């Protein structure tokens, strides 16, 4: 079986009739933020519920505050039960265009409060965090946990978990202010998520197709185009790393964790897991 429920992993580890096989995947789970509006964002308000004249999520300091208010290790330990690792970028170690010095943002609620105050919100904000409840591993639990962490820095958070069938359509129309998504990098290198998630939305070019927050940074767009036009692998990797670093320093999105793929088989079998999420029978063999 694939996608072993995290709550079942501990019991299955103790079952001698079963073997678990796991590998870090290429799927990043992250939060997107509305950066399409200069004026008020639909689900962000002042501390007393008042409408704001400008969108706080356009301010890098607010985005950083929301990011460093999240205790990623606690989410991975207590909600994902070890089936994920905290992330600060799209790809796991060992992949092409992985950024060695771009680790998960450090949990720092005190600094988060300072950043909010510096951005002009010393009394905090009110926000609704949306997410699916049937798409990613423990998705509804994750947004509940994030909401509780944001509360601790003075951002009163309502959490709204929706069925994927209705959630994704609304997200595609920029209905939300803060929202959870995942991205599996099928090419195992950074140009794929950079084009889809970070590049300025441009239907004619096919860029930003999944950039639901409508983040835009012309300097990053230039680097992406440069990387796509660079044939030398080492040179292209340097440009991709530069683009990734710029995007995550600017908190284009808020990375949470990279999922682990977990399969279970009979103890009579051996399975060689891949970074992909699709199980392949060719990788199953009788145990030696």
């Amino acid at each position: 079986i694939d996608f072993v429920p995290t709550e079942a992993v501990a019991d299955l580890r103790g079952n001698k009739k079963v073997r678990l096989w796991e590998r870090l995947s290429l799927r990043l789970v992250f939060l997107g933020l509305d950066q399409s509006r200069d004026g008020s964002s639909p689900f962000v308000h002042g501390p007393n519920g008042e409408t704001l004249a400008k969108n706080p999520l356009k301010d890098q300091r607010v985005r950083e505050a929301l990011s460093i208010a999240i205790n990623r290790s606690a989410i991975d330990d207590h909600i994902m039960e070890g089936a994920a690792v905290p992330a600060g970028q799209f790809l796991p170690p060992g992949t092409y265009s992985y950024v060695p010095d771009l680790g998960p943002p450090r949990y720092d609620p005190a600094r988060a409060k300072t950043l909010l105050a510096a951005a002009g919100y010393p009394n905090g904000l009110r926000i609704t965090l949306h997410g699916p409840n049937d798409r990613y591993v423990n998705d509804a639990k994750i947004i509940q946990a994030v909401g509780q962490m944001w509360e601790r820095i003075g951002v009163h958070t309502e959490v709204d978990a929706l069925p994927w069938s209705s959630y994704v359509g609304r997200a595609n129309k920029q209905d939300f202010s803060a929202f959870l998504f995942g991205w599996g990098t099928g090419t195992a290198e950074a140009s794929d998520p950079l084009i889809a998630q970070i590049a300025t939305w441009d239907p004619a070019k096919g860029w930003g197709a999944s950039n639901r927050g409508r983040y835009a940074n012309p300097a990053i767009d230039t680097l992406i185009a440069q990387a796509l036009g660079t044939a030398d692998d080492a040179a292209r990797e340097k440009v991709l790393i530069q683009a990734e670093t710029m995007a995550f320093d600017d908190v284009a999105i808020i990375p949470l964790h990279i999922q682990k793929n977990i399969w279970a088989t009979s103890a009579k079998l051996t399975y060689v897991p891949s970074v992909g999420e699709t199980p392949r029978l060719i990788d199953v063999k009788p145990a030696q």
Side-chain angles (χ1 to χ4, degrees), residues 3-16:
F3 294 105
V4 176
T6 55
E7 60 269 21
V9 168
D11 288 341
L12 290 175
R13 287 195 195 285
N15 187 333
K16 294 182 179 180

Side-chain angles (χ1 to χ4, degrees), residues 70-81:
I70 299 170
N71 187 337
R72 291 161 174 81
S73 294
I75 290 174
D76 294 337
D77 289 344
H78 302 299
I79 294 178
M80 297 301 292
E81 301 187 62

Side-chain angles (χ1 to χ4, degrees), residues 132-260:
N133 58 17
D134 56 1
R135 176 69 172 182
Y136 308 110
V137 178
N138 297 328
D139 43 17
K141 294 180 181 179
I142 292 168
I143 59 173
Q144 286 286 350
V146 170
Q148 292 170 13
M149 294 170 186
W150 284 355
E151 289 275 358
R152 295 169 192 160
I153 65 165
V155 177
H156 178 69
T157 308
E158 293 185 20
V159 173
D160 193 359
L162 305 168
W164 176 257
S165 57
S166 58
Y167 171 77
V168 68
R170 292 184 62 188
N172 288 342
K173 294 186 290 185
Q174 290 74 57
D175 279 2
F176 305 136
S177 296
F179 46 91
L180 181 137
F181 266 93
W183 185 260
T185 302
T187 61
E189 51 77 45
S191 69
D192 171 49
L194 283 170
I195 292 170
Q197 294 288 350
I198 304 299
T200 301
W201 183 68
D202 187 340
K205 293 171 63 176
W207 283 24
S210 297
N211 182 351
R212 298 176 176 90
R214 294 294 191 263
Y215 174 80
N217 188 325
I220 296 176
D221 293 342
T222 298
L223 289 171
I224 295 171
Q226 181 183 342
L228 294 178
T230 303
D232 180 79
D233 284 345
R236 183 172 65 256
E237 184 174 37
K238 289 181 180 179
V239 179
L240 290 172
I241 285 174
Q242 187 180 353
E244 293 172 84
T245 302
M246 188 179 296
F248 285 102
D249 283 350
D250 199 28
V251 199
I253 60 173
I254 297 178
L256 297 179
H257 56 250
I258 293 177
Q259 289 181 181
K260 290 181 181 178

Side-chain angles (χ1 to χ4, degrees), residues 101-112:
D101 56 353
L102 191 59
R106 186 171 66 89
Y107 175 53
D108 193 342
R111 173 168 164 73

